[in-house]
Amino acid sequence: MAETSPRVAVVGGGPGGLTLARVLQTHGVDVTVFERDASPAARPPGGTLDLHPGTGQAALAAAGLTEGFLALSRPEGEEVRVSGADGQVLVHHEPTPGVAARPEIDRGDLRSLLLDSLAAGTVRWGRALTGIAAAPDGRSRPVFAGRGAAADAADDAAFDLVVGADGAWSKTRAHLGGAAPAFSGVHLVEARIEGPGTRAPAVAALVGDGSLYAFDGGLGIMAQRNTHGVVRVYFTLREPEGGALYTGGALDRPGTARAALRERFAGWSPGLLDLLDLCGDSFVHRPLYTLPPGRTWPAHPAITLIGDAAHLMTPFAGMGANLAMLDGAELGLAVAREASVREAVERYERDAVPRGSRGIEASERGLAACMAPEAPASAVAYLSALA
């Protein structure tokens, strides 16, 4: 580390930002995380993640959290079934007993693992970035909206390095003049089934301990086993960005949402449509956006991006969170080891930009294969190679 340790601001408390903060703290670097959510429980954490050995797991190893991860992860969650609209299983990947290649972990458990590893007060909650100002000494000062009674001197601090870990619609990227995300052409509609093992054993058997992927003719149903007796279901549709189902509050009306989805998936097997019938009344719209491969923001010696802020991709390669965590770990190590912030940023970006480009390109291939008119054959070929 340089003689004078830099002060680092991380904008965003997702897996990438928290991994970065943990690695910095293990090397004695002063770091503050600014998160727009009011608290860790402000919104549902989302589904599970399969962490890969060379990316997500490597990042946790750099953060000294491998043991905690193994205690929380589910190797059995690697099970995968792939089918078409008829529900006939075409591929069934079962994990090797005793071998945790890419075990699943719930996002909430991962976030708790990372948060609990940080020093008290590291994360400043309820801080929504609006811009970044230049401080008189040449450093950068993040500016936040809605400062209220909780604001204090930390909200006015200047930092040697500001890291945008603030996701798809990154304000940090926008401040730098970076590219805006483009719609991928695909929508997800997320729903939940609570306790399928007792309410519908056939559904529990259909999904197994891991995930079910059913694709056919530009439509898909993905179901994912979570902990606490929950199955998350994602109805996947290739439709225009401003389609009627996604505007005007149609998804806020459960009856309307179910009817619209049933119409779109007409002809699919009763077993797969049981997933729709058993879902709760909350349908969440998740349109998929992406950034182009390559650098998507102008270079800056003391501001950089990680994760979705740097290289946003769809989930069809399973790489987004894994790359975000590896970005965080590698940037943290670079800051700790290089002589200056400028050199640390350059060292990190030299690897992260091409790595992110490869992830975007892989996710584009995955989306094209799974949502193609010739699916399920194209999806089987793609997903078999990943398993």
Side-chain angles (χ1 to χ4, degrees):
M1 196 189 324
E3 287 186 14
T4 303
S5 177
R7 295 192 68 189
V8 179
V10 180
V11 182
L18 295 179
T19 300
L20 169 58
R22 165 66 179 180
V23 171
L24 288 172
Q25 286 192 346
T26 62
H27 288 83
V29 178
D30 184 355
V31 58
T32 303
V33 178
F34 297 97
E35 168 54 45
R36 66 180 180 179
D37 285 350
S39 74
R43 56 193 171 101
T48 70
L49 298 168
D50 60 323
L51 295 192
H52 304 179
T55 50
Q57 291 183 50
L60 288 176
L65 297 174
T66 296
E67 185 176 347
F69 164 68
L70 293 176
L72 294 168
S73 65
R74 297 183 297 107
E76 69 276 11
E78 295 181 53
E79 183 179 13
V80 172
R81 291 176 171 86
V82 184
S83 81
D86 61 5
Q88 296 299 309
V89 176
L90 302 170
V91 173
H92 185 190
H93 168 72
E94 296 182 270
T96 304
V99 177
R102 296 186 301 182
E104 298 277 344
I105 184 170
D106 279 26
R107 286 178 181 268
D109 289 341
L110 177 61
R111 191 181 210 189
S112 294
L113 174 67
L114 290 164
L115 284 173
D116 291 347
S117 74
L118 299 176
T122 299
V123 181
R124 311 285 295 176
W125 300 97
R127 270 52 174 194
L129 186 76
T130 59
I132 301 173
D137 60 2
R139 295 187 296 171
S140 298
R141 183 175 65 82
V143 179
F144 305 100
R147 291 173 42 128
D152 58 23
D155 293 301
D156 293 317
F159 295 87
D160 302 285
L161 173 62
V162 176
V163 181
D166 45 346
W169 302 99
S170 169
K171 295 290 188 181
T172 313
R173 188 196 323 116
H175 169 80
L176 292 172
F183 180 55
S184 70
V186 172
H187 302 264
L188 299 185
V189 178
E190 178 185 342
R192 288 164 53 103
I193 302 174
E194 305 280 353
T198 55
R199 295 173 57 206
V203 170
L206 182 69
V207 177
D209 288 324
S211 299
L212 165 73
Y213 300 109
F215 294 103
D216 211 309
L219 292 170
I221 296 177
M222 302 184 290
Q224 179 191 70
R225 173 78 64 175
N226 289 199
T227 55
H228 311 300
V230 172
V231 168
R232 290 181 186 267
V233 184
Y234 302 87
F235 300 95
T236 313
L237 307 99
R238 188 186 282 279
E239 295 186 351
E241 185 175 11
L245 179 60
Y246 316 107
T247 58
L251 290 174
D252 296 332
R253 301 187 294 274
T256 302
R258 287 183 203 278
L261 290 171
R262 183 166 283 280
E263 179 182 357
R264 284 162 170 76
F265 287 88
W268 282 53
S269 78
L272 290 170
L273 292 180
D274 281 346
L275 294 168
L276 174 58
D277 293 337
L278 288 164
C279 288
D281 286 342
S282 176
F283 292 89
V284 181
H285 179 214
R286 301 196 185 281
L288 301 182
Y289 292 86
T290 185
L291 286 167
R295 175 181 286 280
T296 58
W297 69 98
H300 190 288
I303 303 175
T304 192
L305 308 174
I306 67 173
D308 285 352
H311 23 253
L312 176 65
M313 63 196 73
T314 71
F316 284 88
M319 297 175 67
N322 281 281
L323 290 182
M325 294 173 69
L326 186 61
D327 286 349
E330 292 201 346
L331 177 58
L333 292 173
V335 170
R337 294 169 178 171
E338 299 294 336
S340 69
V341 164
R342 176 189 290 272
E343 291 171 283
V345 168
E346 291 175 350
R347 177 71 187 86
Y348 155 71
E349 291 181 353
R350 192 158 54 242
D351 291 335
V353 170
R355 181 172 64 223
S357 294
R358 292 191 294 271
I360 291 170
E361 290 163 353
S363 70
E364 289 175 346
R365 291 192 297 271
L367 183 150
C370 293
M371 300 300 292
E374 51 273 20
S378 54
V380 165
Y382 176 75
L383 293 169
S384 296
L386 291 183

